[in-house]
């Protein structure tokens, strides 16, 4: 088995950071010994809330000259992420590699091997190098619609409410045993399972406040740039952690001695005791561990099998694909109700989850009098062409594919925010330069940073003044748009997606001009 699971990362957590040079051998031996895992004391997960504003078109507003409605703020979307400590993360990664191998071997004997596409390595078609991503998966679904445009089609796009937070523990335990083909989980696997379903966590902000005056940072030793040492340092703001090179909030023994009151958990675990206390059944696993994605796929095995069994019947000719908690099913309009009811029943009664009504839609497409494939979303039994099929970040109108407007809007908001941040720092009295750090902005928001490039760093001992590294700049959002345009070319037969960002360069320089004007006016 390849050791892809043995990776050392540097995000700050509880406990002394691990390094490949000092800890690789003992960590590898420790993790691969089941007895160690059975006795292992897991550190509480680090909880962080990622928020994102949601902007949607105001349906009651009048369309502007370009045919669009004003977009309004629909509140914030929160994602609760839980990070394991460095050693715990490697343990999870090792067991994830075991489960991935077992999962792929299990699927290799099934007809629905390619139904679940998220978090897996699925090779590209036509002898191309690399694996598919969401772009290819969306293109496959749209291509099926085009190839079957002579039929009257219904497209069901469904989403599960709070997927990771609502996974049923008993069903997860059952599926875990199924892919390992065993009657009972081994003690080490059960230790991992028990820790995930009964997880404990610490809020990152609370942990930072407790240890902010003595965080552990990494520094070069005096007069020896090649050596690293750990020091204590006070940091005023949590968003300065990366800049200050903080590698840990505290040592593990220090945490358990001084901060156990910060540990959060949903007790008790026992179902009967919870019923007596009037609590709901305990559900869900933390999102953010190396195991979470694989367990989500394992959990949905029976659901995929049932839907595919119906979809693959000779008289149906149905396309079904599931990307984590987002699924798409394309069928004849005559079978629309059957498959919609089937999906709902299997989700709610078999997977013990709930359909998210606001993100579950039905679309219908068929050829019009001019032999053009047209359609749209179904509302109150009526097809409305003003809203087209949306799947995995793309919009398909029966003819062309585009990137969702919300994705481009987020890109522009990030661009504006970065310029505002640059202006803020450039206006500070202690900064003599008026620089906006232009190179960083060009690299992040224009085509100049869209190509994959090898990184070089300054090195006075080199004849060129620079030394080659093993790191790469992987591009930016425009790189993604270029790739999407290339993949969707077989459907669009034009550069539709590239044209979507044609104004980026102009808008970038307009923001740049306004930023320098504001900086100039603020300084004497």
């Amino acid at each position: 088995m390849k050791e892809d699971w043995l990776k050392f990362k540097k995000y700050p957590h509880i406990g002394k950071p691990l390094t490949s040079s000092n800890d690789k051998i003992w960590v590898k031996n420790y993790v691969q010994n089941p007895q160690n895992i059975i006795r292992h004391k897991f550190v509480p997960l680090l909880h962080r809330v990622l928020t994102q504003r949601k902007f949607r078109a105001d349906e009651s507003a009048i369309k502007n000259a370009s045919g669009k409605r004003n977009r309004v703020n629909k509140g914030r979307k929160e994602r609760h992420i839980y990070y394991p400590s460095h050693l715990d993360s490697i343990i999870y990664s090792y067991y994830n590699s075991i489960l991935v191998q077992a999962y792929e071997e299990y699927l290799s004997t099934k007809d629905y091997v390619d139904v679940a596409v998220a978090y897996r390595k699925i090779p590209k078609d036509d002898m191309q190098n690399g694996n598919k991503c969401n772009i290819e998966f969306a293109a496959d679904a749209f291509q099926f619609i085009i190839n079957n445009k002579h039929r009257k089609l219904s497209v069901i796009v469904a989403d599960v409410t709070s997927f990771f937070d609502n996974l049923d523990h008993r069903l997860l335990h059952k599926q875990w045993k199924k892919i390992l083909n065993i009657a009972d989980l081994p003690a080490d696997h059960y230790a991992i399972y028990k820790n995930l379903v009964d997880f404990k966590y610490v809020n990152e902000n609370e942990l930072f406040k407790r240890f902010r005056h003595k965080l552990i940072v990494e520094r070069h030793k005096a007069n020896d740039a090649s050596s690293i040492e750990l020091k204590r340092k006070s940091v005023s703001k949590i968003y300065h952690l990366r800049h200050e090179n903080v590698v840990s909030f505290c040592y593990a023994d220090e945490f358990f001695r001084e901060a156990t009151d910060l540990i959060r958990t949903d007790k008790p675990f026992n179902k009967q005791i919870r019923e007596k206390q009037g609590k709901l059944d305990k559900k869900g696993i933390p999102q953010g561990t190396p195991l979470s994605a694989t367990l989500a796929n394992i959990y949905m095995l029976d659901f995929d099998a049932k839907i595919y069994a119906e979809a693959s019947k000779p008289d149906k000719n149905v396309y079904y694909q599931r990307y984590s908690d987002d699924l798409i099913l394309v069928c004849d309009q005559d079978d629309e109700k059957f498959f919609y009811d089937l999906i709902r029943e299997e989700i709610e009664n078999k997977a013990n989850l709930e359909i998210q009504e606001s993100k579950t839609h039905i679309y219908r497409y068929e050829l019009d009098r001019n032999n053009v494939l047209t359609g749209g979303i179904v509302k109150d039994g009526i097809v409305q062409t003003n809203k087209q099929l949306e799947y995995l970040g793309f919009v398909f109108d029966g003819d062309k594919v585009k990137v969702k407007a919300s994705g481009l809007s987020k890109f522009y908001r990030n661009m504006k925010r970065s310029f505002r941040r640059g202006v803020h720092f450039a206006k500070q009295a202690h900064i003599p330069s008026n620089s906006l750090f232009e190179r960083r902005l060009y690299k992040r928001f224009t085509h100049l940073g869209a190509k994959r490039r090898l990184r070089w760093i300054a090195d006075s001992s080199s004849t060129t003044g620079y030394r080659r590294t093993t790191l790469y700049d992987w591009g930016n959002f425009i790189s993604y748009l270029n790739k999407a345009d290339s993949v969707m070319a077989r459907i669009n037969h034009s550069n539709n997606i590239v044209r979507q960002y044609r104004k980026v360069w102009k808008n970038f320089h307009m923001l740049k001009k306004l930023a320098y004007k504001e900086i100039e006016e603020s300084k004497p």
Side-chain angles (χ1 to χ4, degrees):
M1 183 185 297
K2 292 184 179 180
E3 295 178 0
D4 294 338
W5 52 270
L6 190 55
K7 296 179 180 179
F8 295 86
K9 300 181 180 180
K10 294 188 67 174
Y11 56 85
H13 207 285
I14 299 168
K16 183 180 178 181
L18 302 175
T19 62
S20 178
S21 57
N22 297 329
D23 304 299
K24 184 175 182 178
I25 295 176
W26 80 261
V27 166
K28 179 181 175 181
N29 293 332
Y30 181 88
V31 170
Q32 291 182 317
N33 186 338
Q35 294 303 316
N36 290 334
I37 307 306
I38 295 170
R39 297 188 299 265
H40 182 72
K41 183 178 181 180
F42 288 91
V43 174
L45 302 171
L46 196 63
H47 174 230
R48 179 184 299 171
V49 180
L50 304 181
T51 60
Q52 179 180 340
R53 288 185 297 172
K54 296 169 62 177
F55 290 86
R56 297 292 183 268
D58 184 359
E59 298 294 338
S60 62
I62 300 175
K63 292 183 179 180
N64 56 26
S66 61
K68 298 180 180 179
R69 291 185 172 88
N70 289 333
R71 303 180 76 82
V72 294
N73 190 344
K74 291 291 186 178
R76 292 178 177 270
K77 177 182 178 181
E78 291 188 349
R79 289 180 60 207
H80 295 265
I81 306 298
Y82 299 86
Y83 300 93
S85 69
H86 296 287
L87 180 56
D88 293 353
S89 178
I90 294 175
I91 292 173
Y92 289 140
S93 295
Y94 174 67
Y95 279 85
N96 181 64
S97 68
I98 295 174
L99 291 181
V100 166
Q101 183 177 353
Y103 176 68
E104 293 296 340
E105 289 176 356
Y106 179 88
L107 282 183
S108 65
T109 63
K110 307 298 180 183
D111 294 334
Y112 54 93
V113 59
D114 292 328
V115 163
V117 294
Y119 321 123
R120 297 177 61 201
K121 294 181 179 180
I122 299 178
K124 293 181 180 179
D125 301 327
D126 303 324
M127 304 299 291
Q128 298 182 56
N129 294 327
N131 298 311
K132 291 183 177 181
C133 67
N134 69 300
I135 301 173
E136 284 87 4
F137 298 139
D140 290 344
F142 301 149
Q143 190 66 58
F144 180 87
I145 296 173
I146 293 174
N147 293 344
N148 291 270
K149 63 182 181 180
H150 58 281
R151 300 160 55 191
K152 292 184 177 181
L153 297 173
S154 288
V155 184
I156 303 170
V157 178
D159 187 272
V160 178
T161 302
S162 302
F163 184 50
F164 287 93
D165 295 336
N166 288 303
L167 298 187
D168 184 273
H169 294 164
R170 292 178 182 273
L171 180 56
L172 178 62
H173 186 266
K174 172 189 171 185
Q175 301 296 70
W176 197 320
K177 292 186 293 184
K178 176 185 286 189
I179 67 157
L180 293 178
N181 194 25
I182 53 179
D184 294 300
L185 284 183
D188 55 327
H189 280 259
Y190 185 77
I192 300 292
Y193 163 79
K194 188 68 166 61
N195 186 67
L196 285 172
V197 300
D198 193 22
F199 68 95
K200 300 175 178 61
Y201 66 92
V202 176
N203 289 320
E204 184 181 40
N205 288 329
E206 294 178 353
L207 186 64
F208 171 76
K209 290 178 181 178
R210 180 67 59 89
F211 292 99
R212 59 186 294 184
H213 298 299
K214 52 178 180 178
L215 298 173
I216 302 172
V217 299
E218 198 173 70
R219 293 288 186 268
H220 291 287
K221 289 184 178 180
N223 303 319
D224 186 5
S226 62
S227 299
I228 300 292
E229 63 180 347
L230 300 179
K231 290 187 174 182
R232 294 282 192 168
K233 190 177 190 326
S234 176
V235 178
S236 59
K237 304 290 184 181
I238 194 169
Y239 50 79
H240 291 160
L241 294 181
R242 185 174 182 180
H243 175 73
E244 295 291 349
N245 205 17
V246 175
V247 294
S248 179
F249 290 97
C250 59
Y251 293 110
D253 58 342
E254 187 179 22
F255 171 81
F256 288 108
R257 186 174 62 250
E258 301 179 16
T260 53
D261 59 303
L262 299 181
I263 298 176
R264 304 285 183 264
T265 187
D266 183 15
K267 290 185 176 181
F269 182 75
N270 184 275
K271 182 178 180 180
Q272 286 73 28
I273 298 177
R274 293 181 70 86
E275 288 177 351
K276 290 180 180 178
Q277 295 180 355
K279 292 185 177 181
L280 298 174
D281 288 350
K282 195 165 185 178
K283 293 183 177 181
I285 61 173
Q287 184 177 0
T289 74
L291 266 169
S292 301
T294 302
L295 292 179
N297 275 341
I298 292 172
Y299 184 88
M300 298 295 283
L301 273 173
D302 292 345
F303 174 83
D304 290 337
K306 178 62 177 178
I307 302 298
Y308 184 82
E310 294 293 337
S312 60
K313 289 182 177 178
D315 60 326
K316 298 295 185 183
N317 190 18
V318 172
Y319 181 88
Y320 168 58
Q321 181 188 95
R322 182 178 61 80
Y323 191 97
S324 189
D325 57 342
D326 294 317
L327 64 89
I328 185 170
L329 187 142
V330 186
C331 63
D332 288 323
Q333 291 182 14
D334 292 340
D335 296 324
E336 174 188 300
K337 185 178 186 306
F338 170 78
F339 280 107
Y340 182 81
D341 292 343
L342 177 66
I343 289 172
R344 178 179 289 278
E345 179 184 354
E346 292 297 316
I347 284 286
E348 295 179 353
N349 298 333
K350 300 293 179 62
N352 297 329
L353 298 169
E354 293 182 3
I355 287 287
Q356 189 168 353
E357 298 290 350
S358 61
K359 291 187 177 181
T360 299
H361 304 292
I362 296 176
Y363 305 83
R364 292 177 188 159
Y365 291 91
E366 57 186 85
L367 295 175
D368 62 10
R369 295 177 181 177
N370 299 319
N371 207 33
V372 176
L373 187 64
T374 59
I377 195 170
V378 178
K379 288 188 176 181
D380 299 324
I382 300 173
V383 177
Q384 300 183 7
T385 58
N386 64 328
K387 188 170 179 62
Q388 297 295 326
L389 172 60
E390 296 182 355
Y391 182 58
L392 299 184
F394 295 92
V395 180
F396 178 62
D397 63 2
D399 181 37
K400 303 292 184 183
V401 180
K402 289 185 177 181
V403 173
K404 284 178 63 175
S406 58
L408 290 166
S409 298
K410 181 181 177 181
F411 172 73
Y412 279 115
R413 288 198 301 273
N414 288 337
M415 183 192 296
K416 292 177 182 177
R417 188 182 300 114
S418 294
F419 271 103
R420 288 198 301 268
R421 184 175 175 83
V423 169
H424 168 76
F425 285 108
K427 288 165 65 175
Q428 301 303 309
H430 65 280
I431 300 179
S433 171
N434 291 343
S435 174
L436 273 173
F437 302 98
E438 287 184 26
R439 184 174 180 178
R440 181 180 61 189
L441 293 170
Y442 275 105
K443 180 178 174 181
R444 185 178 176 190
F445 297 109
T446 74
H447 66 279
L448 300 179
K451 290 185 179 180
R452 176 185 174 187
R453 289 186 174 90
L454 182 69
R455 288 187 187 178
W456 294 73
I457 59 175
D459 185 357
S460 58
S461 62
S462 171
T463 55
T464 62
Y466 292 91
R467 175 169 55 85
R468 177 176 179 164
T469 70
T470 57
L471 303 176
Y472 284 87
D473 290 326
W474 293 100
N476 52 28
F477 184 64
I478 291 179
S479 311
Y480 174 80
L481 295 178
N482 288 335
K483 180 177 180 179
D485 186 77
S486 175
V487 173
M488 297 298 179
R490 59 180 159 123
I491 298 174
N492 291 334
H493 304 293
S494 63
N495 58 345
N496 267 31
I497 295 177
V498 166
R499 288 204 296 268
Q500 284 187 270
Y501 73 82
R502 65 187 182 277
K503 294 182 180 179
V504 166
W505 185 258
K506 176 183 176 181
N507 292 338
F508 179 90
H509 284 88
M510 181 181 68
L511 290 171
K512 175 182 169 182
K513 182 178 180 180
L514 293 173
Y516 275 120
K517 181 179 179 181
E518 183 178 346
I519 294 170
E520 194 66 31
E521 291 175 350
S522 68
K523 292 194 174 183

